[in-house]
Amino acid sequence: MSEQEGNQDPQLLVKELEEVYETDYEIGQDNVNAFGLDLHNPVFFISALLIIVLVVTALLFPEAADKQLTATRVAIGDWFDWLFLSAGNIFVLFCLALIILPVGRIRIGGEDATPDFSLMSWLAMLFAAGMGIGLMFWAVAEPVGYFTEWSGTPLDAGGGDAASALGATMYHWGLHPWAIYGVVALSLAFFAYNKGLPLTIRSTFYPLFGDRVFGWLGHVIDILAVLATLFGLATSLGLGATQAASGLNFLFGIDPGLTTQVAIIIGVTAVALVSVMRGIHGGVRVLSNINITLAFVLLLFVMFAGGLIAFFSSVGTTLGGYLQYILPLSNPVGREDETFYHGWTIFFWAWWISWSPFVGMFIARVSRGRTVRQFMTAVLIVPTVVTVVWMSAFGGNGINQVIDGVGELAGGISDSSLALFQMLQNLPFTNVTSFLAIVLVLVFFITSSDSGSLVIDSITSGGKTNAPKSQRLFWVVIEGVIAGVLLAVGGEAALDALQAGAVSAGLPFVIVLLLMCVSLTKGLHHELQLIRYGSAESS
């Protein structure tokens, strides 16, 4: 605090601080009522137009679209790998700092705000929105793939080291992705509930750009957020569809090809249409609680069926490997492990970044009443601990089966979407647990589509959370269409097409997130001053 501020009347200081965020902007001023809709003109129409053009082009020229997606992914990896990795490290350090610094005591929504959801419902929604399908798809495939293809460290060829396999897996699913979500989520929650700005991405840049965020600069930011969100979601929905199709083939012999995958997308989208009409409390909250219950049941079964001693041993191996490899794998300089670095890490970082507007806004909407310290601890630390348990159970079991020469996994990963079911095949009650896994994938699928539609609807309506339901339905359908198109243009290499879409959408949003950290720092410092001088005024 400067000498001038220290000598100034606290009441005047509080008034000056409050005036910083005063704006004449009204959420509805740029909106129109056309066909009963409540649209934020530039964002909705430009986003929808760009997406429709991309989808139609991909359908008309699938081979060219596939080649372009692949070429774009390779180019981004070659030119911007350092940017993705460095940014991820910055986000982790930034979030950890918020937990220990004085700004951690700031409460989202003001000092008198109270949480809207119970702790368990809140944590369930965080986890279901943030990981869901991804953990189901990769929990066995990724660590077993590393174990059979890389040895010593995740960077060398050969295979056979459980610590490096589980440690590298945790690196991709631990602190870094949740730090990315945490930056966006806290920024949105803070500027919406503490500063009274619209709940949309542009609002997080008010300290940097002022009222300009409500003009074309803000439109561009929100359009980037919509595109990143849609392609990030489409990647997850595509992965969910391929895994569910593989599960149906595993259990019932149904052809797992494109027709089945598209049918699954259509079916799940139809259910999501019903869920999204019910909103967060009646739809997403209920589904998230179902998700957590089913996931917990499956987790307990795998822990006990695979042996508790083996499970606890895997927990130690996972934690040890994570601590051992987190620093070398975070190094963006002089990397020679191009296959691992570009094929896995850069894809995951781009995927998390493309998911961040969706997950961040969803977390923001359900996190009013928590302090910054509580918020960051829950968003950063708790999911990482849960992921250690999850990966140790599923990935550890898979690796143990490889070591013991049991089942199909012993020969390596031939199909990532089948890995989970191949691991369950060597445990009791295979049909029951495999069916439960398929149901869990589908419910995660619905939750992601539902949550994403609510978020995109908020962005494209200028920050409103009660826009007409017809707009939510539009975005649910669009998400399913994009997922189906990416699977179709990718052919047999559909996974590559999904990954390329996520990487392409994530690149421009890296810069947005880095600037968001600067803006949030300014906003939290401002709020801390307001609290300090407000306390001085009242005393």
Side-chain angles (χ1 to χ4, degrees), residues 261-273 446:
Q261 295 170 18
V262 172
I264 289 171
I265 290 175
I266 292 173
V268 169
T269 300
V271 178
L273 288 173
I446 297 168

Side-chain angles (χ1 to χ4, degrees), residues 65 69 92 94 128 234 241 288 291 314 366 490 510:
L69 280 170
V92 172
F94 179 75
S288 296
N291 276 338
S314 292
V366 300
V510 176

Side-chain angles (χ1 to χ4, degrees), residues 56 93 95 127 163 190 245 254 263 276 289 304 358 378 446 464 495 507:
V56 172
L93 295 175
C95 291
F127 200 75
F190 173 75
I254 298 173
V276 78
N289 288 334
F304 281 94
F358 146 56
I446 297 168
K464 290 189 175 181
L495 181 58
L507 176 60

Side-chain angles (χ1 to χ4, degrees), residues 12 24 29 44 68 72 99 167 170 173 178 180-181 185 247 260 304-305 310 312 343 366 384 396 426 453 471 506 518:
L12 294 176
D24 294 329
Q29 71 177 26
F44 182 93
Q68 187 58 50
T72 301
I99 294 176
M170 271 308 304
W173 296 85
W178 288 100
I180 292 169
Y181 297 157
T260 301
F304 281 94
F312 286 116
V366 300
T384 299
N426 300 299
S453 302
Q471 290 174 215
V518 178

Side-chain angles (χ1 to χ4, degrees), residues 292-420:
I292 292 301
T293 302
L294 293 179
F296 185 67
V297 169
L298 186 60
L299 174 63
L300 285 179
F301 170 80
V302 173
M303 287 168 53
F304 281 94
L308 282 178
I309 295 177
F311 164 71
F312 286 116
S313 176
S314 292
V315 170
T317 303
T318 302
L319 282 173
Y322 189 27
L323 293 175
Q324 180 180 354
Y325 290 107
I326 187 170
L327 290 181
L329 291 179
S330 298
N331 173 33
V333 180
R335 296 287 290 268
E336 298 179 356
D337 54 316
E338 184 171 325
T339 301
F340 177 84
Y341 186 21
H342 290 173
W344 290 93
T345 302
I346 300 306
F347 159 62
F348 276 122
W349 267 222
W351 191 14
W352 306 141
I353 289 169
S354 65
W355 257 51
S356 63
F358 146 56
V359 179
M361 186 171 292
F362 180 75
I363 293 175
R365 288 185 64 172
V366 300
S367 298
R368 189 202 302 262
R370 312 287 176 180
T371 66
V372 170
R373 186 167 291 115
Q374 291 170 342
F375 179 94
M376 275 303 172
T377 301
V379 172
L380 192 64
I381 307 300
V382 173
T384 299
V385 172
V386 174
T387 304
V388 167
V389 174
W390 185 274
M391 291 300 183
S392 298
F394 288 83
N397 253 305
I399 289 175
N400 289 336
Q401 290 178 12
V402 174
I403 293 173
D404 295 336
V406 175
E408 297 181 46
L409 289 179
I413 299 295
S414 58
D415 183 348
S416 297
S417 63
L418 270 175
L420 173 63

Side-chain angles (χ1 to χ4, degrees), residues 231-247:
F231 279 95
L233 272 171
T235 301
S236 297
L237 301 184
L239 291 176
T242 57
Q243 188 174 36
S246 293

